[in-house]
């Protein structure tokens, strides 16, 4: 083997072993959130700290920098979309980012994040924003330092966004989200003024938990989540994680008196899981075996949850089974009433309770506010008022309190700046990809109505999942749909579905 | 802080961090045996390999040897039963053992163990001992090398026994087990000839699994297993592990048509768990926070399973609840008939199906045979015949095949030589400790009949659990019971209980 090939092999072995340790970290996290006895939380934190210390040390080893410099200049990196090219490029990107952050800043960010999350709990419970404010100011100052240390193309926010949506630019996202806002705010108003609304109470009837679980498993398996290579468990705040190439774990939570929470939650997490299960197992732990971005990951969950799971054709197939499973709750409910209920649009002050359409306005508000905070255009003291003003303008609602307003999300307290827009990017990508799949596969609705979901899953696997990180999110969308990211597909989808439901 | 104190602190921090990594290994093992999707087993092996490599490297770091040499000669090690004395002594013992084994031998042992276990599966399924024989010969040769590398007091077997029962000598165990055999073989014969036997079929009636689980949890909690610091889950081959000081996980398995398996299995594992939960949490990962030996660990499980769980007074308390839980199966069964059934003594060729009394003869056979194999007094080719001959002499039974005979256990194929006697040591220690507790606490039977198990748990916690590894197993038994290990308490217990049941 030529020396450069041997060096590349050495790099891959090193990264793969780091990946093994990261996968153990995933399992510790999963276990903590699903099973861990409460009294064991403190020692679990010790386990996470020791392990992440070992991982960080491996990821910032100076010899790794030497290897990457040599390999980046070699013919193995010439084609950026080749296996070796993508691997070297992405590992170098991660390495360069990591070594630019001073150890003291990393530690300060971690400590402030832990303290911020604790302070958030108390502030939210006591409806006391002032209690959180000093830590939030500190967090913002640290995030500025982080952005300055890693560097950015146009603005500080770019540096933070890049952690979740590699290569994406704030100005670009802002443009697309502004287009979306300009059409979404009027749509929401039209719906409000339509005078129509479904009977949502039918989703709040009695749905026995064990039947919900069996039904959820059946639906998740039907859309392509492979239970031989995964699990479904119960947790308080549902998530998906893959602590191994053939070990994808999705989670949900059940309420006896609510149908939508568990079912659409399961579809959402199964969408994430189907992506993880579609990544090339042989490259697990290396860039070609990992998800390309948070936005693309979210697109997969939103696609199965909303574009598929809230479509009429999906329920043409599954509704008879649902009625059989829940005869008490759904026996007397017509499909159209059920379909309208699961697509109810109703502005709410709470993001996680919002619907497919207005959800994006919640994200927009956060995206605009966090940029202003970071750039110093908005002070922490003025944040609650700014929050409420945006909710009035975009959604026409007024939070009853800061707890139901600016304090509702943990993200900022945990230092997650730049994360929110990936939720809306997910919705945008999902609609754009779905519209293309519909064209390519010749009418998905008919397939869904016949219970055929495999063509769509296989299409996504080929176009997205199998690619790992060989292309950027923007490249994938351009390549697969022939167009750059835009608000049009999402608006087309929402206008189409909601237009006929609300007769607007 | 004086330099030697600082060095001791450094040693403890190092060991504690290694303990953190070992605890993660425990969690990986638990997850593998309880939850892991089958397809994920291979990557789990990679995770275990990477982690155990990191642990091994830490445990054999040369600087550790320097620290230990300096500390062992310091005043901190002067009192071997002090916290620092025990810590230094035990860590030095473990370190010295580890560095004496050449890396090539460690790897060869691991590889042969994996291959041996695979070959065992096939050999057992096909009833073909010859297929396993070559690997078994290789394993024995490697175990001899291991014993020669680590050194021993009197015989090679001492070196292997020391891995599971630190400081114990083969000659000593052999003496006690011979005493036991000399009384147990006649007792088993008397029982066979008594003409009496209980109706065991009542334990094979229908016991709904969910009710078994609820009843098992109730009983485990009643004897002192703390579910706030632990879990009970389902697995194929039950075990107990503690991946944290407040995270003890016991497991069991349920059969709808068998009461004893899950219930006594749960009591057994809860006994292990109560020991783990009683170890000083503040020393978790250091010798004063760890179990003293396999034999003592087993004594705790056997004590709760047999001495408590198969006693008449235990069921005087729990039988009404059992009848209420299983009205179909136990409604018409008198307590005495139930009590006789769970104490049935019946020689069997299968160890794991055997009863409280004859179980020890199964162990004796293995203990004698593995010594002979190791010393070269018995060839692998002659093993099946020797096995059958001992079963004829000690138990009066003849295995139907090698699969039900010499191939029934995985231990030897996995390289576990020196492990078997700890099962009988557990029974011996359990009886001896129980007899002393009965004296100290003034009649346990009356307490059990009133549902009072806390005095016994607290007594065990003070005398055994809280001590960690500050004393050896032999020292603990001598100190707590005022006498060295002996067969008398176990024989007294068996003669007493079985004498009245079988009227002999």
């Amino acid at each position: 083997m030529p020396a450069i090939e041997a060096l590349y092999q050495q790099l891959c072995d090193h990264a793969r072993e780091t990946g093994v340790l990261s996968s153990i970290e995933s399992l510790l996290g999963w276990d903590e959130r699903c099973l861990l006895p409460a009294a064991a939380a403190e020692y679990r934190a010790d386990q996470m700290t020791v392990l992440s210390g070992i991982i960080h040390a491996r990821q910032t080893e100076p010899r790794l920098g030497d290897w990457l410099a040599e390999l980046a200049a070699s013919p193995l990196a010439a084609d950026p979309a080749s296996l070796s090219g993508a691997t070297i490029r992405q590992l170098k990107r991660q390495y360069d980012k990591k070594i630019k952050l001073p150890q003291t800043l990393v530690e300060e960010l971690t400590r402030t994040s832990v303290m911020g999350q604790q302070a958030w709990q108390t502030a939210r419970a006591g409806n006391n924003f002032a209690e959180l404010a000093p830590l939030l100011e500190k967090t913002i100052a640290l995030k500025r330092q982080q952005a300055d240390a890693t560097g950015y193309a146009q603005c500080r926010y770019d540096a933070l966004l890049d952690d979740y949506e590699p290569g994406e630019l704030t100005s670009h996202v802002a443009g697309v989200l502004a287009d979306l806002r300009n059409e979404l705010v009027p749509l929401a108003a039209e719906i409000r003024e339509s005078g129509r609304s479904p009977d949502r109470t039918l989703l709040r009837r009695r749905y026995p938990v064990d039947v919900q679980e069996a039904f959820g498993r059946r639906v998740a398996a039907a859309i392509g989540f492979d239970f031989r290579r995964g699990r479904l468990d119960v947790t308080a705040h549902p998530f998906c994680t893959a602590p191994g190439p053939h070990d994808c774990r999705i989670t949900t939570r059940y309420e006896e008196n609510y149908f939508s929470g568990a079912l659409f939650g399961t579809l959402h997490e199964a969408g994430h899981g189907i992506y993880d299960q579609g990544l090339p197992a042989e490259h697990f732990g290396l860039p070609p075996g990992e998800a390309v971005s948070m936005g693309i990951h979210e697109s997969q969950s939103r696609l199965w949850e909303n574009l598929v799971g809230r479509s009429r054709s999906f329920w043409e197939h599954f509704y008879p089974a649902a009625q059989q499973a829940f005869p008490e709750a759904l026996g007397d409910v017509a499909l159209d009433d059920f379909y309208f209920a699961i697509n109810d649009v109703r502005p709410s002050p709470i993001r996680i309770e919002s619907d497919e359409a207005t959800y994006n306005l919640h994200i927009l508000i956060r995206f605009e506010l966090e940029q202003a905070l970071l750039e110093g255009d908005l002070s922490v003291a003025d944040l609650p008022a700014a929050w409420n003003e945006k909710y009035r303008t975009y959604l026409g609602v007024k939070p009853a309190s800061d707890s139901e307003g600016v304090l509702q999300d943990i993200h900022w307290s945990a230092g997650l700046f730049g994360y929110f827009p990936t939720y809306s990017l997910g919705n945008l990508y999902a609609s754009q990809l779905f519209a293309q799949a519909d064209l390519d596969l010749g009418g998905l609705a008919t397939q869904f109505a016949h219970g055929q979901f495999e063509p769509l899953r296989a299409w996504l696997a080929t176009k997205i999942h199998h690619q790992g990180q060989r292309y950027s999110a923007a490249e994938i969308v351009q390549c697969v749909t022939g167009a750059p990211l835009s608000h049009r597909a999402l608006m087309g989808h929402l206008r189409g579905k909601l237009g006929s439901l609300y007769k607007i």
Side-chain angles (χ1 to χ4, degrees), chain A:
Chain A
M1 192 170 358
I4 196 72
E5 294 275 354
L7 184 63
Y8 175 65
Q9 201 48 56
Q10 202 172 349
L11 173 77
C12 289
D13 291 346
H14 187 276
R16 223 183 266 273
E17 195 163 312
T18 310
V20 167
L21 294 169
S22 298
S23 73
I24 296 174
E25 216 177 13
S26 299
L27 185 77
L28 290 176
W30 175 87
D31 184 84
E32 180 178 11
R33 295 172 68 175
C34 292
L35 304 175
L36 195 72
E42 197 179 327
Y43 195 75
R44 177 55 47 88
D46 292 348
Q47 292 171 324
M48 299 284 252
T49 306
V50 169
L51 199 55
S52 68
I54 293 173
I55 292 169
H56 183 79
R58 285 182 65 90
Q59 285 173 331
T60 52
E61 275 181 45
R63 59 175 184 157
L64 203 55
D66 300 338
W67 299 350
L68 285 163
E70 190 175 339
L71 285 162
S74 80
L76 287 170
D79 175 2
S82 68
L83 271 183
S84 60
T87 301
I88 294 164
R89 167 171 45 83
Q90 290 291 71
L91 290 178
K92 186 161 187 339
R93 188 184 151 272
Q94 291 162 21
Y95 179 81
D96 290 345
K97 267 198 125 166
K98 281 210 182 284
I99 56 156
K100 278 182 186 163
L101 289 179
Q103 186 60 28
T104 51
L105 180 58
V106 172
E107 284 165 12
E108 195 68 358
L109 278 163
T110 306
R111 190 167 27 246
T112 312
S113 164
V114 172
M115 286 166 63
Q117 291 175 69
Q118 283 166 355
W120 172 79
Q121 306 264 13
T122 327
R124 190 190 186 201
N127 190 34
N128 186 352
F129 180 79
E131 211 176 319
L132 180 65
L135 266 169
L136 203 49
E137 270 165 17
K138 179 157 189 210
T139 302
I140 292 164
L142 290 170
K143 297 309 280 188
R144 283 192 198 120
Q145 287 180 42
Q146 180 187 333
D148 292 342
T150 50
Y152 45 81
Q154 299 169 350
C155 63
R156 277 180 177 143
Y157 193 88
D158 284 346
L160 306 182
L161 180 61
D162 190 78
D163 277 351
Y164 311 108
E165 204 61 23
E168 191 52 89
L169 292 177
T170 312
S171 57
H172 178 239
V173 175
V176 177
L177 291 188
D179 291 343
L180 186 64
R181 183 193 54 207
N182 294 341
E183 299 198 18
L184 210 45
V185 172
L187 175 65
E190 283 175 64
I191 288 173
R192 262 201 314 279
E193 289 149 21
S194 73
R196 279 179 60 81
S197 73
D199 173 12
R200 290 188 306 177
T201 63
L202 61 91
L203 301 174
R204 296 274 179 189
R205 294 176 177 177
R206 194 175 151 268
Y207 294 87
V209 165
D210 56 335
V211 186
Q212 282 194 55
E213 192 194 326
F215 190 72
R217 279 180 190 275
R218 177 179 165 176
V219 170
I223 64 168
F225 183 79
D226 185 351
F227 280 97
R228 290 164 309 179
R229 301 170 57 216
R231 299 182 51 87
L232 168 63
D233 295 273
V234 173
T235 191
H237 301 284
F239 66 105
C240 166
T241 190
H246 302 293
D247 184 12
C248 178
R249 304 187 179 198
I250 59 175
T251 57
T252 193
R253 65 177 159 204
Y254 302 97
E255 281 178 77
E256 190 181 60
N257 294 307
Y258 192 38
F259 175 77
S260 300
L263 197 271
F264 291 105
T266 300
L267 279 167
H268 181 96
E269 301 305 337
H272 281 304
I274 289 167
Y275 184 12
D276 284 340
Q277 291 185 331
L279 291 165
E282 68 274 25
H283 301 310
F284 186 85
L286 293 176
E290 300 200 330
V292 60
S293 76
M294 296 283 299
I296 293 291
H297 222 310
E298 192 71 8
S299 79
Q300 301 304 292
S301 58
R302 298 283 171 161
L303 184 146
W304 289 105
E305 176 194 0
N306 290 332
L307 282 294
V308 180
R310 292 185 204 270
S311 71
R312 198 174 186 290
S313 55
F314 179 88
W315 289 104
E316 282 167 23
H317 175 67
F318 276 116
Y319 196 59
Q323 284 187 305
Q324 214 164 30
F326 309 103
E328 235 186 273
L330 297 177
D332 64 345
V333 176
L335 170 57
D336 278 327
D337 294 331
F338 175 81
Y339 173 59
F340 196 4
I342 61 169
N343 281 294
D344 177 47
V345 170
R346 198 170 304 224
S348 151
I350 311 289
R351 175 180 62 88
I352 60 165
E353 291 173 7
S354 66
D355 56 77
E356 193 182 351
T358 61
Y359 187 91
N360 299 291
L361 296 172
H362 292 264
I363 298 307
L364 243 160
I365 291 170
R366 288 155 178 77
F367 175 59
E368 292 175 358
L369 290 174
E370 65 184 7
Q371 286 178 78
L373 287 167
L374 204 71
E375 294 299 337
D377 299 337
L378 175 67
S379 74
V380 167
D382 294 334
L383 177 58
W387 178 282
N388 291 344
E389 174 55 21
K390 287 218 185 265
Y391 265 83
R392 193 186 60 75
T393 324
Y394 292 176
L395 283 151
V397 296
K398 183 175 164 13
S401 65
D402 282 345
S403 289
E404 297 208 343
V406 68
L407 287 171
Q408 70 183 267
D409 294 314
I410 199 171
H411 300 60
W412 290 338
S413 312
L416 297 174
F417 281 76
Y419 186 109
F420 277 122
T422 66
Y423 291 130
S424 275
L425 287 175
N427 286 328
L428 293 161
Y429 290 144
S431 305
Q432 208 161 328
L433 292 170
F434 188 85
Q436 188 62 42
D438 195 39
L439 276 178
D440 288 3
L441 298 171
L444 289 170
T446 316
Q447 295 176 17
F448 296 169
H450 289 92
Q452 292 157 3
F453 304 100
E454 177 55 17
L456 175 58
R457 193 209 58 79
W459 186 92
L460 290 166
T462 309
K463 306 280 183 183
I464 316 281
H465 310 169
H466 295 174
Q467 306 307 323
Q469 296 183 345
R470 291 172 71 168
Y471 305 91
S472 74
E475 284 166 347
I476 284 185
V477 171
Q478 175 70 49
C479 168
V480 174
T481 71
L485 180 70
S486 132
H487 68 297
R488 286 197 194 88
L490 176 56
M491 281 313 302
H493 158 69
L494 292 174
R495 276 261 165 223
K497 177 159 75 172
L498 302 174
S500 65
L501 282 170
Y502 286 91
K503 306 199 187 303
I504 49 174

